[in-house]
Amino acid sequence: MEHKAIAAAIAEGRTALGLELGSTRIKAVLIGPSHQPIAAGAFDWENRLEDGLWTYRLEDAWRGLQAAYQQLSQEVWEKYGEKLRTLGAVGVSAMMHGYLPFDKEGRQLCAFRTWRNTVTGAEAEQLTELFGFNIPQRWSIAHLYRAIRLEEEHVPRLAYLTTLAGYIHWQLTGEKVLGVGEAAGMFPVDSETCGFDQNRVRLFDGLAAQRGLPWRLGQVLPRVLCAGEEAGRLTPQGAKRLDPAGLLEPGVPFCPPEGDAGTGMTATDSVAPRTGNVSAGTSIFAMVVLERPLSKVYPELDLVATPTGRPAAMVHCNTCTSDLDAWVGLFGQAVERAGASLSKSQLYEMLYQEALSADCGGLLSYNCYSGEPVIGLAQGRPLFTRQPEAPMTLGGFMRAQLFAAMAPLKMGMELLLDQEKAALDRLCGHGGLFKTPVVGQRLMAGALGVPVSVMETAGEGGPWGMAILAMYSLRRQMGWEGSLEDYLAAEVFAQAERSTAEPQPEDSQGFAAFLARYKAGLPLESLAAGGLLREAGT
């Protein structure tokens, strides 16, 4: 769109805003009628380990949202000469899962327990057996059952349980709802009804009734909505909370809040059966939209849903680039000490390119900052080791770090692609690992044994996907009758450019050798994380 047309769209409220609270950044992206980003804002934040649990403080979430929105608004003014007073639609997304309980007055009952915590193993196992359906440790229902079993004092006062995206949406609109994709990370959903699975709700109520609690699960969970439905409107209080400057007018419609899995599927045109995407950032997960149910329950595979409710299998790993980023930061310090000057992007480009043609034989790395259920690791600790005779080169070291970020994902994908023979026509990559051209994409293709595509919009990520879902909801209210799949194909990605990396034999063979060492060395990683080194206080 040309400059004047964009300015007119902003003034007339024909834009959509996507807000996403990611693991390390809170982002805001504004798109115009053509779905291209026209302004953006961001705020860095980090999780905290408090009382043995990973958490974020909600006051930090609001501070970050306001800062990101203010930055976006300032960019709108500077680029287009318009004050941002209204919007066509808004959508909120955030990292999936976790535990955010509130009482009937809306008071937070305990610290937000994030997806990163791996303390619900016993509860997840018991619920999986009860439901005949895999319940991962990070799901909200596993955390709720743990709180019930431990008789935490807040449990009888529970009136509403939601996720981070659901909480922000509630505070901005007054509506206690979730999109079906995000809801599928709280409790099993029924794809036919686009709601929570009522048979399993009753099973859980039977389990909880033994504790004499004054509520039933259906009373405390959000209402579930599908993509395209209107999910409330911005209240005067919500407008002031998002924009303390007071320019944003209330009444803007919202789409259902989603999780980062749903926004990733949307941003990569991966919501139809036989499509998939891999998101590689702080955490890493792959989603494959299924044609048929899995043959059995796998603890390593989550069954979730697209934003329209289609069943999808997810392989989710808690850690991806955190340790890799730490090593890049260390090398950056060495560069600075040498008196050289490289930007962050130049540093990543240099180090990633070194890894592309290197050999990491004899090197072994584990990037686990926390427990990793996919590989059976209760606790994590970053660890690097090598055979004494193994060459220690910069490229080999970086290749080992990249392979370590992919290894747990591969172990889960082996079950889905090799054992279940899930059909997958294309896999689209997005997230920080793919920002450096070619390298992460090619190595991921070699690791997974499937072609990996990256679109020109890969860097836009979740908040852009959320903005698209908001625009789709707006168009639905204006008369669009097609599905989300049709909308993405016809309106968003019809002209999108994709680059595809095919698996290269040398990459696949090198990764297979690394993965064999990785699997053999898991007892060492387990010992380092929770045994000998911890006992030694190191």
Side-chain angles (χ1 to χ4, degrees):
M1 293 180 70
E2 64 181 39
H3 189 275
K4 288 184 178 180
I6 294 175
I10 293 168
E12 296 164 11
R14 293 184 285 114
T15 58
L17 175 65
L19 302 170
E20 182 157 281
L21 295 94
S23 302
T24 59
R25 301 193 86 193
I26 297 173
K27 303 175 186 176
V29 169
L30 188 69
I31 65 173
S34 65
H35 304 93
Q36 294 304 306
I38 56 180
F43 177 86
D44 292 338
W45 73 332
E46 271 293 348
N47 54 190
R48 309 162 184 259
L49 186 61
E50 297 180 352
D51 299 323
L53 294 172
W54 292 102
T55 187
Y56 295 85
R57 294 179 182 173
L58 297 187
E59 57 265 30
D60 292 339
W62 287 112
R63 187 161 57 93
L65 281 171
Q66 290 168 359
Y69 182 82
Q70 182 183 28
Q71 185 180 344
L72 178 147
S73 300
Q74 184 64 28
E75 184 176 339
V76 167
W77 170 249
E78 292 174 354
K79 290 174 66 174
Y80 306 106
E82 292 288 342
K83 295 289 186 181
L84 194 56
R85 300 182 185 278
T86 189
L87 300 156
V90 181
V92 178
S93 64
M95 60 195 96
M96 291 181 72
H97 319 299
Y99 183 72
L100 256 178
F102 298 88
D103 66 15
K104 63 181 179 180
E105 280 79 33
R107 293 175 299 212
Q108 187 179 357
L109 292 174
C110 73
F112 172 38
R113 298 169 184 176
T114 79
W115 55 271
R116 198 167 208 170
N117 291 292
T118 53
V119 296
T120 61
E123 292 78 15
E125 184 176 347
Q126 186 174 344
L127 291 175
T128 295
E129 183 177 354
L130 176 69
F131 295 155
F133 185 100
N134 182 39
I135 301 297
Q137 290 196 47
R138 64 190 178 279
W139 279 27
S140 306
I141 195 62
H143 284 280
L144 174 60
Y145 189 43
R146 178 177 183 268
I148 292 172
R149 290 187 65 189
L150 295 180
E151 298 182 344
E152 295 189 25
E153 62 85 21
H154 73 268
V155 171
R157 295 183 284 122
L158 177 65
Y160 183 44
L161 177 63
T162 190
T163 64
L164 185 57
Y167 162 73
I168 298 295
H169 182 96
W170 169 39
Q171 295 299 299
L172 294 176
T173 68
E175 298 291 337
K176 297 178 178 179
V177 300
L178 276 187
V180 64
E182 173 76 335
M186 290 192 78
F187 190 88
V189 298
D190 183 337
S191 294
E192 296 296 323
T193 64
C194 194
F196 291 117
D197 186 314
Q198 292 304 305
N199 289 330
R200 293 184 171 105
V201 167
R202 285 189 284 272
L203 287 172
F204 185 84
D205 281 339
L207 194 65
Q210 303 170 20
R211 307 281 178 159
L213 297 172
W215 47 262
R216 293 291 179 264
L217 187 60
Q219 298 170 334
V220 302
L221 290 177
R223 183 165 55 96
V224 181
L225 300 174
C226 272
E229 297 187 69
E230 186 177 312
R233 289 180 175 260
L234 184 65
T235 64
Q237 298 85 354
K240 189 69 174 177
R241 197 157 194 190
L242 181 60
D243 179 23
L247 292 177
L248 183 60
E249 300 169 358
V252 178
F254 275 61
C255 69
E258 269 296 347
D260 48 7
T263 61
M265 283 189 263
T266 303
T268 56
D269 191 19
S270 304
V271 298
R274 301 176 67 96
T275 64
N277 76 93
V278 55
S279 173
T282 303
S283 62
I284 185 170
F285 58 83
M287 307 281 299
V288 176
V289 185
L290 300 175
E291 286 187 301
R292 56 176 176 78
L294 299 180
S295 64
K296 63 179 183 178
V297 175
Y298 294 90
E300 301 88 352
L301 300 179
D302 305 358
L303 283 179
V304 289
T306 71
T308 60
R310 289 187 182 275
M314 171 193 271
V315 180
H316 182 284
C317 306
N318 285 341
T319 308
C320 181
T321 61
S322 294
D323 197 41
L324 178 62
D325 292 341
W327 284 110
V328 172
L330 181 67
F331 291 130
Q333 292 177 38
V335 169
E336 289 180 5
R337 297 296 189 276
S341 177
L342 287 177
S343 68
K344 188 174 182 180
S345 61
Q346 289 173 325
L347 183 63
Y348 273 91
E349 173 80 19
M350 179 189 73
L351 293 172
Y352 275 41
Q353 288 296 334
E354 285 287 320
L356 197 56
S357 58
D359 180 6
C360 65
L363 308 185
L364 180 58
S365 181
Y366 295 93
N367 69 339
C368 306
Y369 269 46
S370 61
E372 195 60 83
V374 169
I375 58 176
L377 194 65
Q379 300 178 70
R381 177 170 297 215
L383 180 67
F384 174 78
T385 185
R386 67 186 178 102
Q387 295 293 338
E389 71 279 5
M392 188 65 167
T393 67
L394 181 61
F397 180 84
M398 288 304 301
R399 193 176 183 91
Q401 299 307 315
L402 285 161
F403 278 172
M406 301 171 186
L409 180 72
K410 171 64 174 180
M411 291 171 67
M413 289 292 281
E414 285 176 335
L415 298 174
L416 184 60
L417 299 181
D418 299 341
Q419 195 158 320
E420 284 291 321
K421 307 296 182 185
L424 183 60
D425 291 337
R426 67 173 190 261
L427 188 67
C428 190
H430 62 110
L433 192 71
F434 300 104
K435 284 186 177 179
T436 299
V438 180
V439 182
Q441 181 184 1
R442 201 187 94 177
L443 294 184
M444 184 70 75
L448 298 183
V450 296
V452 175
S453 298
V454 173
M455 291 191 284
E456 58 183 349
T457 54
E460 306 298 346
W464 181 62
M466 194 68 244
I468 291 172
L469 288 172
M471 187 67 81
Y472 172 65
S473 179
L474 178 63
R475 297 283 179 85
R476 288 278 293 182
Q477 311 318 311
M478 296 170 63
W480 175 277
E481 295 182 355
S483 66
L484 177 61
E485 293 93 326
D486 294 337
Y487 185 79
L488 295 178
E491 298 292 316
V492 183
F493 295 107
Q495 306 300 323
E497 295 184 7
R498 306 171 191 255
S499 65
T500 301
E502 299 286 339
Q504 300 298 311
E506 62 271 25
D507 296 332
S508 297
Q509 293 165 9
F511 182 81
F514 176 87
L515 189 63
R517 294 195 300 276
Y518 189 94
K519 291 178 178 178
L522 280 171
L524 173 64
E525 166 65 10
S526 181
L527 182 65
L532 178 63
L533 297 184
R534 185 173 299 276
E535 291 174 6
T538 60

